[in-house]
Amino acid sequence: MAEVEVVVAHSERATLRVGDVFLKVDADQARIDVEVEAMSLAPVPTPKVLWRKPPVLAIAALPGTTLGRLGGPSTGSPAAWAAAGAAIRKLHEAPLPPRPGGAGRSAAALAAELDAECALLVADGLLPADLVARNRRVAETALRPWAPAFTHGDLQIAHIFVDDDEVTGIIDWSEAGQGDALYDLATFTLGHEKHLDDVLTGYGSDIRVDIDVIRAWWSVRSLLAVRWLTEHGFDPFAPGCEVDVLRSRM
């Protein structure tokens, strides 16, 4: 009998693995609706939906492995990272989905969220004021007009599977929608900056990618994540994770 493996669990949602089936339990059915719709529209490999019975979504496991995890060693050849970049570009060039996603907040809304979060990080004593202030200045570069693209919205390194230098699937689409393409590129390379050139090789040299904006998104994502991760039992202070990303901007 297959054992039940807890992949991730917190107060908002949980993902379990039983053999070759992943069970996603989410109290917010709107997130599951977005995920199922996005997987049906995305022009890249996605998991097969086996069944759905709220609040549970069952999907098939993907072949291959991820290229690493935040805070851990990266794996895969330059060709595998380039293949991921090519898949991301294919997604970004697809027809737009019907709604904004996690990468689609306006500059004004994001600035307000950042300012509030930065104030709390300092007031709660989670991070030094100079570290927060420096990264808030870096983050400002991301707050600019952008052309909407079909974005994944939470494209962590653990969400793309690769086998034999080919992308076999992309998972966890609950934040998908219209958004800033560079947010996806930044999220995928967060904590693995040395592979950014390989990803951009696959993404294509025919389009200019502003590296400073990607670096700004690293600061944005990390600043907004630290308090949430701490409150939900994760450790953003672990080596190579969000706080180290913030320190690297100093």
Side-chain angles (χ1 to χ4, degrees), residues 169-183:
I170 301 177
I171 65 171
D172 285 1
W173 292 82
S174 61
E175 301 294 325
Q178 298 179 30
D180 181 0
L182 298 193
Y183 181 86

Side-chain angles (χ1 to χ4, degrees), residues 22 40 72 88 135 147-148 154 157 165 171 181 185 221 237 247:
F22 284 90
S40 72
I88 296 169
N135 277 275
D154 189 26
I157 188 175
D165 296 341
I171 65 171
L185 290 170
R221 186 172 175 98
F237 292 86
R247 289 171 178 153

Side-chain angles (χ1 to χ4, degrees), residues 53-219:
K53 186 175 181 180
V56 182
L57 172 68
I59 60 176
L62 291 169
T65 59
T66 66
L67 293 173
R69 61 180 178 82
L70 183 61
S74 57
T75 60
S77 66
W81 285 87
I88 296 169
R89 173 70 180 274
K90 187 174 183 179
L91 174 66
H92 290 166
E93 292 186 328
L96 292 175
R99 59 180 62 85
R105 284 168 289 184
S106 70
L110 191 57
E113 184 178 0
L114 269 172
D115 290 340
E117 192 64 28
C118 287
L120 287 170
L121 288 170
V122 175
D124 293 348
L126 279 174
L127 294 176
D130 61 339
L131 180 64
V132 172
R134 168 59 181 161
N135 277 275
R136 179 59 183 87
R137 290 194 296 272
V138 172
E140 190 68 24
T141 301
L143 309 181
R144 87 281 177 230
W146 40 266
F150 190 153
T151 52
H152 181 280
D154 189 26
L155 198 60
Q156 302 174 45
I157 188 175
H159 291 167
I160 294 186
F161 284 73
V162 177
D163 188 29
D164 196 23
D165 296 341
E166 293 186 4
V167 172
T168 57
I170 301 177
I171 65 171
D172 285 1
W173 292 82
S174 61
E175 301 294 325
Q178 298 179 30
D180 181 0
L182 298 193
Y183 181 86
D184 273 354
L185 290 170
T187 303
F188 183 64
T189 54
L190 183 74
H192 295 282
E193 184 172 352
K194 65 181 181 180
H195 292 292
L196 178 58
D197 286 345
D198 295 327
V199 172
L200 294 182
T201 295
Y203 196 76
S205 59
D206 59 312
I207 183 171
R208 181 180 178 273
V209 173
D210 191 328
I211 304 300
D212 287 338
V213 173
I214 289 179
R215 293 192 178 106
W217 277 124
W218 288 336
S219 289

